[in-house]
Amino acid sequence: MGTMLKVEDLQVYYGSIHAIKGVSFEVNEGEIVTLIGANGAGKSTTLNTVGGLLKPRSGKITFEGKDLHGMAANKVVSEGMALCPEGRRVFQHMTVLENLEMGAYTRSNAEAAETLEHVYELFPRLKERYRQVAGTLSGGEQQMLAMGRALMSRPKLMMLDEPSMGLAPILVQQIFDIIVDMNKQGTTILLVEQNAQMALSIANRAYVLETGRITMSGDAKELAASEEVKKAYLGG
Amino acid sequence: MLANLINGISLGSVYAIIALGYTMVYGIAKMLNFAHGDVIMVGGYIAFCSIAYLGWPPALAVLAAVVVCTMLGIVIERLAYKPLRNATSLAVLITAIGVSYFLQNAALLIWTSNTKVFPNIFANLPGLTLGDMQIAPVTLITVLANIVIMVALTLFTGKTKMGKAMRAVSEDKGAATLMGINVNRTISLTFAIGSGLAAIAGVLLCTAYPTLMPTTGAMPGIKAFTAAVFGGIGSIPGAMLGGILLGVIEIFGKAYISTQLSDAIVFSVLIIVLLVKPTGLLGRKVNEKV
Ligand SMILES: Nc1ncnc2c1ncn2[C@@H]1O[C@H](COP(=O)(O)OP(=O)(O)OP(=O)(O)O)[C@@H](O)[C@H]1O
Ligand SMILES: [Mg+2]
């Protein structure tokens, strides 16, 4: 199991706001790694920076041995990394199928057609509704679409930013089951969650982020059992 | 009555072609490119010079106008608007007005303020006789061009990968980037298409109303902008509908109410429509981000 993603001493600013203050972590091939933390801790900022949407002030991001520094944001996906962003951000006025097609933007039509079948297997609901305009889907369906869309690029590493946000418990369970499925089929997962309990239950390893710094890290089960994490993130 | 209607549709078709440029650029770059009208004027001059000074056949002159305006659109975006991608909309608007004045004054320097009389490039084509009414070839071609452009754009944005990417960019640039779409190139392409269409509109306009001067594009530009807002800015069918309705209202206003007041009538209709339906006829609500 080699290191797939390595982030070293990442510093990210929004203007003069110092949001990420020297974050380092790594994700190994085949793992599910979760990044947990309170609101405003900097989880999304970290993912968006790795995904290329934000430019770090300093620090190093290496993906499969390749330094991503200075790479255009739209090229990152071709390296084998997909980000399923916070708030889903599906293309509301486009159909389900068109959204999925956009997910495969960098790939040939033949490759995309093959992956589409796979995504439909994972999300049969999307197949039923392929002609529906995405904005009219339910929240859970939109989350499935966002995940399916990210999968369409056949990523080696899938980054998910709060996939359970705003979903009913039964759907949350379903989404987490699918994440585990994706992982079993060979996709490495970097998962950001507020729902720390669920995240820790499926992850191999975890990092705890607090106001822009990593304060704890280790085996997910051990962290889940630690008093500090229980108190701060698991409601007792 | 029928003659007025046909004239209105023809004028409206020119507005519609211009409005498409406004609306596409607005949809993607979320900015009002007030220099768009002046690109029409440049297209008119390029076609004029190609015919009058170089003796080129009209088809080649139109092509030259399209090529020059397409490049002009790309250059304007690159030099004037791209550096302002994250600036306030007011700064962008002021810049666009600046670009508009720049183009008008550059035209004044190059081509002077003397009015040029645009040749009737469709003179050799047959018109259409309906009963005792003559329809000029320029009218037919304008309406036809409008239909062809409308269909082509609808197919482009609805069926092609690049067109869909354009819609994706117009909805959410960040998400589009995550898909691997090059947002800057998509915006460039939009300016290119809009400006190419402006060149065609310029030639059609100058053929129908054959006086060409540096301010020729200004009024049609504003009217087409009105048409785009009227139809629902950002919407391609909206631009088409808005353009044609505006043309018809203008011609009918001139014919039945008052020549002097026709522009006032046009703008009053706009205000009324916006009071009743702020998003325009076919516009959709802007989604609030959750
Ligand atoms: N666009 C922005 N401009 C300025 N500050 C921002 C911006 N986005 C985030 N921040 C700030 O950066 C910090 C980290 O925000 P971030 O969105 O990464 O947190 P998060 O851990 O994802 O929180 P949540 O769980 O609420 O999604 C916060 O203090 C936030 O206010
Ligand atoms: Mg977040």
Side-chain angles (χ1 to χ4, degrees), chain A:
Chain A
M1 280 215 307
T3 305
M4 184 174 259
L5 174 72
K6 195 175 168 108
V7 175
E8 294 164 85
D9 196 23
L10 200 65
Q11 308 270 354
V12 187
Y13 287 76
Y14 291 104
S16 63
I17 300 171
H18 195 177
I20 300 297
K21 305 161 185 164
V23 160
S24 302
F25 63 94
E26 47 187 68
V27 180
N28 299 317
E29 204 179 325
E31 279 189 314
I32 299 183
V33 172
T34 183
L35 211 57
I36 56 176
N39 285 115
K43 307 180 296 293
S44 300
T45 306
T46 304
L47 277 204
N48 289 339
T49 309
V50 174
L53 287 181
L54 297 171
K55 293 273 164 269
R57 178 80 54 96
S58 66
K60 194 170 172 191
I61 302 170
T62 320
F63 183 70
E64 296 204 300
K66 188 170 179 180
D67 188 351
L68 297 190
H69 179 79
M71 182 179 284
N74 64 309
K75 296 278 189 257
V76 173
V77 66
S78 310
E79 296 296 317
M81 225 194 294
L83 169 58
C84 185
E86 185 173 71
R88 299 160 194 140
R89 293 172 74 170
V90 296
F91 301 114
Q92 302 272 327
H93 298 292
M94 298 172 82
T95 65
V96 168
L97 180 59
E98 285 171 339
N99 268 275
L100 294 173
E101 286 170 355
M102 287 298 103
Y105 182 77
T106 55
R107 306 175 67 218
S108 77
N109 289 345
E111 288 172 317
E114 208 183 304
T115 313
L116 185 64
E117 285 312 309
H118 176 69
V119 168
Y120 280 161
E121 264 167 47
L122 214 47
F123 304 101
R125 185 64 72 85
L126 296 183
K127 187 173 188 176
E128 284 165 28
R129 312 204 157 219
Y130 77 102
R131 292 178 70 176
Q132 192 170 329
V133 175
T136 62
L137 295 174
S138 74
E141 289 163 349
Q142 290 196 21
Q143 183 58 48
M144 291 179 193
L145 179 56
M147 287 165 67
R149 186 180 67 175
L151 272 180
M152 287 297 289
S153 66
R154 282 302 285 282
K156 295 173 199 153
L157 173 68
M158 166 82 107
M159 298 185 280
L160 296 151
D161 196 344
E162 301 206 26
S164 74
M165 191 166 68
L167 300 185
I170 182 157
L171 269 172
V172 174
Q173 186 60 54
Q174 205 180 335
I175 294 285
F176 274 82
D177 287 347
I178 291 169
I179 295 173
V180 172
D181 272 353
M182 291 192 317
N183 180 248
K184 282 191 182 135
Q185 290 168 13
T187 313
T188 305
I189 308 277
L190 175 57
L191 172 67
V192 155
E193 261 301 333
Q194 292 252 355
N195 190 336
Q197 189 158 11
M198 288 290 277
L200 289 171
S201 75
I202 66 163
N204 302 107
R205 291 189 305 113
Y207 293 87
V208 177
L209 201 59
E210 257 173 55
T211 56
R213 286 195 180 85
I214 292 201
T215 52
M216 276 183 277
S217 66
D219 182 86
K221 304 285 167 303
E222 281 168 24
L223 273 182
S226 90
E227 286 306 318
E228 264 178 285
V229 171
K230 270 191 190 160
K231 219 183 237 147
Y233 304 106
L234 304 177

Side-chain angles (χ1 to χ4, degrees), chain B residues 82-155:
Chain B
K82 193 178 169 202
L84 300 177
R85 201 58 61 75
N86 296 317
T88 61
S89 49
L90 188 62
V92 180
L93 186 66
I94 291 170
T95 306
I97 293 170
V99 173
S100 167
Y101 275 109
F102 174 82
L103 290 178
Q104 287 186 21
N105 285 293
L108 201 58
L109 268 177
I110 301 172
W111 292 297
T112 75
S113 59
N114 293 336
T115 310
K116 306 264 189 291
V117 180
F118 201 84
N120 182 359
I121 58 174
F122 304 126
N124 297 332
L125 297 174
L128 192 67
T129 316
L130 276 183
D132 55 356
M133 196 175 57
Q134 281 283 330
I135 303 175
V138 62
T139 308
L140 292 176
I141 287 176
T142 303
V143 174
L144 199 67
N146 185 23
I147 294 169
V148 169
I149 289 168
M150 173 75 184
V151 171
L153 274 184
T154 306
L155 289 178

Side-chain angles (χ1 to χ4, degrees), chain B residues 7-191:
Chain B
N7 278 338
I9 291 175
S10 171
L11 177 65
S13 293
V14 175
Y15 290 157
I17 297 171
I18 308 169
L20 281 172
Y22 266 114
T23 237
M24 288 179 72
V25 164
Y26 181 84
I28 303 269
K30 301 286 177 278
M31 66 159 291
L32 294 172
N33 177 20
F34 265 106
H36 190 61
D38 303 293
V39 176
I40 303 167
M41 169 276 294
V42 173
Y45 273 110
I46 298 294
F48 175 83
C49 292
S50 306
I51 295 167
Y53 303 148
L54 301 174
W56 290 2
L60 199 59
V62 175
L63 189 67
V66 170
V67 169
V68 170
C69 287
T70 302
M71 290 189 312
L72 181 65
I74 294 172
V75 169
I76 291 173
E77 195 277 328
R78 195 45 151 310
L79 295 183
Y81 303 145
K82 193 178 169 202
L84 300 177
R85 201 58 61 75
N86 296 317
T88 61
S89 49
L90 188 62
V92 180
L93 186 66
I94 291 170
T95 306
I97 293 170
V99 173
S100 167
Y101 275 109
F102 174 82
L103 290 178
Q104 287 186 21
N105 285 293
L108 201 58
L109 268 177
I110 301 172
W111 292 297
T112 75
S113 59
N114 293 336
T115 310
K116 306 264 189 291
V117 180
F118 201 84
N120 182 359
I121 58 174
F122 304 126
N124 297 332
L125 297 174
L128 192 67
T129 316
L130 276 183
D132 55 356
M133 196 175 57
Q134 281 283 330
I135 303 175
V138 62
T139 308
L140 292 176
I141 287 176
T142 303
V143 174
L144 199 67
N146 185 23
I147 294 169
V148 169
I149 289 168
M150 173 75 184
V151 171
L153 274 184
T154 306
L155 289 178
F156 174 70
T157 53
K159 300 274 184 242
T160 69
K161 196 167 181 174
M162 210 183 261
K164 289 178 197 173
M166 203 175 249
R167 281 158 60 208
V169 170
S170 84
E171 282 203 37
D172 186 335
K173 292 187 181 57
T177 303
L178 289 176
M179 306 295 112
I181 298 167
N182 185 332
V183 170
N184 282 329
R185 222 181 42 209
T186 309
I187 293 178
S188 251
L189 176 71
T190 311
F191 271 84

